[in-house]
């Protein structure tokens, strides 16, 4: 099977080259250390006797942020060194900024083609390879198998789309999953799906989502700091002013939130809109949208502080969502409205005590959202009309907002502990 994969990879790579070129053009940071994608990662210092080396692949921004508490636990283990890689340029910057001083090496994950993956494996020489969430790279797994290196999947997730795809090729699914020594699942539904696809039941266990513990590490603002942030955003100090957050929005969702803001204003509410798109490079598209509406707005990329009062603030920077979230009274979670699917994580906003609304397409967080709703910390909107009604209801009801915010904080506290369980499970692979 691996040779068939290698043969098919070549034409796929040729097809994807224009995509990579476009990404490099749109994201200046995408070119940084681009040679890593060919497996030409700078060699770390030689391996030392008695020291175990762990290679952790944190796919993108969410995983790069979630890995922090686990890294701290693993670094505390005697005679352990860690190599961190990621796939996206944004996550690569986060890893360099947050963890470079604490790990052996930070790099970019190679394209999953034979010579590129082999190059990286020869340079990094790990004793344990760790993948996150849903990444099953055939060549990467094969290189591990050749070297007798165990591979663990942590924070394991199986989305609806991936589950259907693997069900259509059960032989491929069993072969890939069979190369994993350990599958640590984020939710019970993920656990059931991995087992249904043929994973060895003795290798699959439920440890919970690392994102709960990562959210516990967020720097929470005091009341004074929160007021200062709202002033910085140009929202003023009036306690009657309400801030509606669009958290990690995708195309089309900003338009919906603009409509909701206008409806709230027409209803006599002083509602300010804080938009934080999932991808900062969409700023031009969102700015064009904002230029077509009459309310005053400001973009963070042109300067953080806005001295003039604004009705709409565009948070078009990277790595500031957790801080900006704390300026909000209510949040809408992005990538949850058709035609998008999957959703962005609601965990951080709930942990910060912000009431949540999202659309019907939160498939990647189905269990999380169900438990949030059961805890009374969020509302699911079935369509644009119901999303608007739910948000309007929250904006008009301070008691409801307070109750939901407290429920979100309590829900989050009850779900912590995945880091300890994951670290203990990985420890078994060293024994």
């Amino acid at each position: 099977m691996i040779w068939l994969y290698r043969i098919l990879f070549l034409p796929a790579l040729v097809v994807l080259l224009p995509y990579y070129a476009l990404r490099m053009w749109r994201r200046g940071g995408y070119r940084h250390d681009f040679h890593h994608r060919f497996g030409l990662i700078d060699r770390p210092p030689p391996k030392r006797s008695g020291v175990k080396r762990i290679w952790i692949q944190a796919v993108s921004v969410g995983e790069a942020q979630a890995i922090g508490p686990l890294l701290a636990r693993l670094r505390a283990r005697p005679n352990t060194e860690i190599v961190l890689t990621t796939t996206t340029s944004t996550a690569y910057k986060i890893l360099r900024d947050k963890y470079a001083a604490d790990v052996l090496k930070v790099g970019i994950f190679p394209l999953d083609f034979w010579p590129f993956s082999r190059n990286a494996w020869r340079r990094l020489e790990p004793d344990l390879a760790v993948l996150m969430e849903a990444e099953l790279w055939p060549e990467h797994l094969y290189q591990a198998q050749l070297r007798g290196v165990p591979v663990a999947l942590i924070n394991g997730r199986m989305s609806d789309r991936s589950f259907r795809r693997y069900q259509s090729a059960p032989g491929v699914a069993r072969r890939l999953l069979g190369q994993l020594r350990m599958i640590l699942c984020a939710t019970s539904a993920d656990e059931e799906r991995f087992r249904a696809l043929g994973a060895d039941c003795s290798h699959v266990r439920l440890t919970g989502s690392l994102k709960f513990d990562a959210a516990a590490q967020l720097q929470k603002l005091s009341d004074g700091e929160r007021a200062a942030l709202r002033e910085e955003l140009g929202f003023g100090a009036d306690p009657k002013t309400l801030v509606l957050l669009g958290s990690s929005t995708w195309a089309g969702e900003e338009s919906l939130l603009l409509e909701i803001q206008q409806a709230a204003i027409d209803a006599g509410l002083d509602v300010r809109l804080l938009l934080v798109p999932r991808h900062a490079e969409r700023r031009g598209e969102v700015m064009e949208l904002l230029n077509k509406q009459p309310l005053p707005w400001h973009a963070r990329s042109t300067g953080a502080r806005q001295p003039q009062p604004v009705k709409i603030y565009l948070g078009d920077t990277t790595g500031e969502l957790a801080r900006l979230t704390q300026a909000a009274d209510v949040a809408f979670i992005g990538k949850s409205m058709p035609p998008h699917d999957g959703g962005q994580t609601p965990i951080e906003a709930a942990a910060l005590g912000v009431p949540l609304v999202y659309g019907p397409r939160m498939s990647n967080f189905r269990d999380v959202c169900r438990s949030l709703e059961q805890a009374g910390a969020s509302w699911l909107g079935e369509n644009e009309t119901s999303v608007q009604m739910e948000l309007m209801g929250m904006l008009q009801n301070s008691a409801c907002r307070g109750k939901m915010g407290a429920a979100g904080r309590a829900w989050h506290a009850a779900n912590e502990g995945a880091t300890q369980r994951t670290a203990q499970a990985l420890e078994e692979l060293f024994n």
Side-chain angles (χ1 to χ4, degrees):
M1 188 185 82
I2 191 63
W3 278 106
L4 177 62
Y5 175 76
R6 289 169 176 174
I7 292 169
L8 294 176
F9 191 95
L10 278 172
L13 180 61
V14 172
V15 171
L16 286 172
L17 281 176
Y19 165 77
Y20 280 108
L22 179 61
R23 290 274 294 259
M24 289 175 64
W25 176 74
R26 294 179 66 181
R27 301 182 181 182
Y30 205 76
R31 289 171 288 186
H32 189 73
D33 288 337
F34 192 74
H35 59 285
H36 288 193
R37 299 184 187 276
F38 303 109
L40 303 177
I41 299 172
D42 303 333
R43 291 182 184 274
K47 294 185 69 174
R48 295 172 291 157
S49 177
V51 176
K52 297 292 186 179
R53 181 175 293 178
I54 308 174
W55 177 4
I56 301 177
Q57 159 63 0
V59 193
S60 58
V61 172
E63 293 73 35
Q65 293 172 332
I67 200 70
L70 180 62
L71 285 180
R73 287 290 298 260
L74 294 176
R75 284 174 45 232
R77 184 184 184 276
N79 300 320
T80 300
E81 55 190 21
I82 298 169
V83 174
L84 274 179
T85 60
T86 188
T87 303
T88 71
S89 58
T90 305
Y92 185 40
K93 183 179 187 305
I94 290 173
L95 292 184
R96 295 198 315 271
D97 292 345
K98 294 183 68 173
Y99 309 123
D102 301 320
V103 300
L104 182 68
K105 192 73 184 174
V106 174
I108 300 174
F109 192 71
L111 294 169
D112 199 49
F113 187 44
W114 174 35
F116 307 153
S117 184
R118 182 187 58 184
N119 285 343
W121 274 90
R122 285 178 172 176
R123 289 165 180 251
L124 299 181
E125 299 182 290
D127 300 294
L128 170 64
V130 176
L131 297 171
M132 291 188 71
E133 301 218 345
E135 288 216 319
L136 299 176
W137 296 105
E139 187 65 54
H140 184 68
L141 293 173
Y142 183 75
Q143 292 295 325
Q145 188 178 48
L146 279 180
R147 294 163 172 79
V149 174
V151 182
L153 182 71
I154 65 173
N155 222 49
R157 291 195 301 108
M158 182 62 64
S159 68
D160 293 348
R161 181 181 300 176
S162 295
F163 188 55
R164 289 193 297 269
R165 185 166 63 242
Y166 283 125
Q167 280 184 313
S168 67
V172 173
R174 283 193 297 271
R175 187 175 183 86
L176 288 176
L177 295 175
Q179 295 179 77
L180 296 172
R181 190 75 61 84
M182 187 174 283
I183 302 173
L184 306 180
C185 302
T187 71
S188 57
D190 295 311
E191 182 183 23
E192 291 173 5
R193 286 184 168 187
F194 279 112
R195 287 177 172 166
L197 290 173
D200 186 331
C201 290
S202 66
H203 294 172
V204 182
R205 66 182 77 172
L206 175 63
T207 50
S209 175
L210 294 175
K211 293 183 178 180
F212 286 108
D213 292 351
Q217 306 296 314
L218 295 175
Q219 184 177 357
K220 296 179 174 63
L221 303 182
S222 66
D223 290 343
E225 290 169 332
R226 181 176 184 268
L229 174 59
R230 287 164 69 109
E231 288 272 15
E232 175 188 312
L233 302 180
F235 294 155
D238 189 337
K240 294 182 180 179
T241 296
L242 299 169
V243 177
L244 169 60
L245 168 67
S247 180
S248 296
T249 53
W250 286 57
E253 293 174 334
E254 293 91 2
S255 299
L256 172 62
L257 291 170
L258 285 170
E259 293 176 9
I260 293 169
Q261 180 192 25
Q262 188 59 59
I265 292 173
D266 292 343
L269 300 175
D270 180 12
V271 174
R272 313 299 172 94
L273 181 58
L274 173 56
L275 292 174
V276 185
R278 174 64 179 84
H279 300 107
E281 63 268 23
R282 288 187 55 239
R283 64 173 58 90
E285 171 190 335
V286 181
M287 286 179 179
E288 184 177 350
L289 177 66
L290 295 179
N291 280 329
K292 294 177 180 178
Q293 58 81 48
L295 299 176
W297 63 276
H298 178 75
R300 194 166 184 79
S301 60
T302 63
R305 180 168 291 278
Q306 169 50 262
Q308 302 299 320
V310 299
K311 296 290 187 179
I312 304 166
Y313 194 94
L314 174 60
D316 57 338
T317 53
T318 299
E320 294 193 280
L321 178 58
R323 181 169 180 263
L324 294 177
T325 295
Q326 297 179 72
D329 296 287
V330 180
F332 168 81
I333 304 300
K335 204 185 179 185
S336 63
M337 298 298 296
H340 309 299
D341 189 35
Q344 300 295 153
T345 177
I347 295 173
E348 286 81 0
L352 293 167
V354 180
L356 307 176
V357 173
Y358 37 74
R361 297 290 188 88
M362 292 289 286
S363 59
N364 287 347
F365 299 92
R366 181 183 293 104
D367 280 13
V368 168
C369 290
R370 184 181 298 116
S371 63
L372 272 169
E373 292 154 26
Q374 291 172 347
S378 69
W379 281 100
L380 164 65
E382 296 291 346
N383 49 45
E384 290 190 4
T385 300
S386 61
V387 165
Q388 180 168 341
M389 289 177 61
E390 298 295 352
L391 286 172
M392 285 289 290
M394 287 188 194
L395 291 169
Q396 293 171 324
N397 191 330
S398 61
C400 175
R401 295 195 303 272
K403 184 178 180 180
M404 292 183 70
R409 287 189 290 268
W411 168 85
H412 173 260
N415 281 283
E416 293 182 65
T419 296
Q420 179 178 352
R421 292 187 289 270
T422 300
Q424 289 174 342
L426 292 178
E427 185 79 21
E428 298 173 18
L429 297 179
F430 285 120
N431 297 329

